Amino acid sequence: QSALTQPPSASGSPGQSVTISCTGTSSDIGGYKYVSWYQQHPGKAPKLMIYEVSERPSGVPDRISGSKSGNTASLTVSGLQAEDEADYYCSSYAGSNFVLFGGGTKLTVL
Amino acid sequence: EVQLVESGGGLVKPGASLRLSCAASGFTVNDAWMSWVRQVPGKGLEWVGLLRRRASGGTPEYAASVKGRFTISRDVSQNTLYLQMSSLKTEDTGVYYCATDRGWLTFDCWGQGTPVTVSS
């Protein structure tokens, strides 16, 4: 199984919104509601930002949101702040106790 | 507070073995689904394997790339998860993270990672 496809980079100015896509297949994203998004700052561990497509863990601001349509999931960061600059990874359950990750998207706040 | 601390990484030659540890606090490793995830330098994340909580059978599952070479186990008395790696290959190089699984391989708590370099 191939990794999920993410754009390598995305950018936006402070206060703007940016959306990062994550494309898979009917065997992963399209087949399950278990899509997650992780934020990773340089030298740090990943942090769960979104689970089950659109749910936010406690402490994650509501300007972070997720959605899914068909085989593509999306992460939207609204009201961009400097602290949002990081790498973002999507993941999807792919059946048979297996999970796929995306290649990551570097978000730059201009 | 849930906390995970990995250790045991290092530089080894191809074909060697290495055991990574993940010391847990704030919960009991016997009661949690846990996974190892690795990150190749400058690249993305790759799931390595999981260990079910005892109540769910306590059995492991592995990614195809490591099956037969890696073994995940736990020591309840030490509240620690382990990753025993053998027949290491250069492509096993990366930072290895342990993580708790809130369900369906969704990782809600991560350790800080321990680096493994496999090189001759």
Side-chain angles (χ1 to χ4, degrees):
Chain A
Q1 284 159 301
S2 302
L4 306 175
T5 300
Q6 296 182 236
S9 63
S11 62
S13 299
Q16 289 186 334
S17 293
V18 64
T19 297
I20 299 170
S21 63
C22 173
T23 302
T25 69
S26 58
S27 296
D28 37 72
I29 291 177
Y32 301 94
K33 68 173 184 177
Y34 304 109
V35 177
S36 302
W37 289 89
Y38 301 88
Q39 177 192 63
Q40 186 179 34
H41 288 108
K44 301 294 186 181
K47 175 187 175 184
L48 181 65
M49 303 297 280
I50 293 286
Y51 67 97
E52 291 181 18
V53 177
S54 60
E55 300 297 317
R56 280 185 302 274
S58 173
V60 173
D62 60 6
R63 58 189 186 80
I64 307 292
S65 62
S67 63
K68 186 184 87 162
S69 177
N71 298 336
T72 298
S74 299
L75 175 76
T76 297
V77 182
S78 304
L80 270 175
Q81 300 179 4
E83 67 203 48
D84 299 326
E85 185 161 297
D87 293 327
Y88 291 82
Y89 294 91
C90 61
S91 76
S92 173
Y93 185 74
S96 302
N97 294 298
F98 183 70
V99 60
L100 277 172
F101 286 95
T105 297
K106 181 177 179 59
L107 175 59
T108 301
V109 181
L110 302 171
Chain B
E1 179 191 4
V2 172
Q3 191 172 11
L4 300 168
V5 179
E6 300 95 335
S7 60
L11 171 63
V12 296
K13 297 185 185 306
S17 297
L18 196 63
R19 189 180 79 161
L20 307 183
S21 301
C22 170
S25 57
F27 72 103
T28 302
V29 293
N30 223 16
D31 296 335
W33 286 63
M34 298 188 69
S35 278
W36 287 94
V37 178
R38 67 186 179 187
Q39 185 166 31
V40 176
K43 295 191 177 180
L45 300 164
E46 179 188 15
W47 175 74
V48 171
L50 65 84
L51 188 63
R52 295 176 176 84
R53 63 178 183 174
R54 181 177 179 182
S56 298
T59 51
E61 300 283 351
Y62 300 99
S65 57
V66 307
K67 196 169 185 178
R69 300 188 299 122
F70 290 12
T71 301
I72 301 175
S73 63
R74 64 181 150 230
D75 183 332
V76 179
S77 66
Q78 298 294 316
N79 209 32
T80 297
L81 183 77
Y82 297 103
L83 179 65
Q84 177 68 49
M85 304 185 292
S86 61
S87 303
L88 281 162
K89 306 175 181 180
T90 55
E91 53 263 42
D92 294 319
T93 293
V95 176
Y96 284 71
Y97 298 96
C98 64
T100 56
D101 180 355
R102 61 168 290 128
W104 301 97
L105 294 172
T106 300
F107 308 115
D108 53 354
C109 181
W110 298 64
Q112 85 288 352
T114 186
V116 172
T117 303
V118 184
S119 174
S120 55

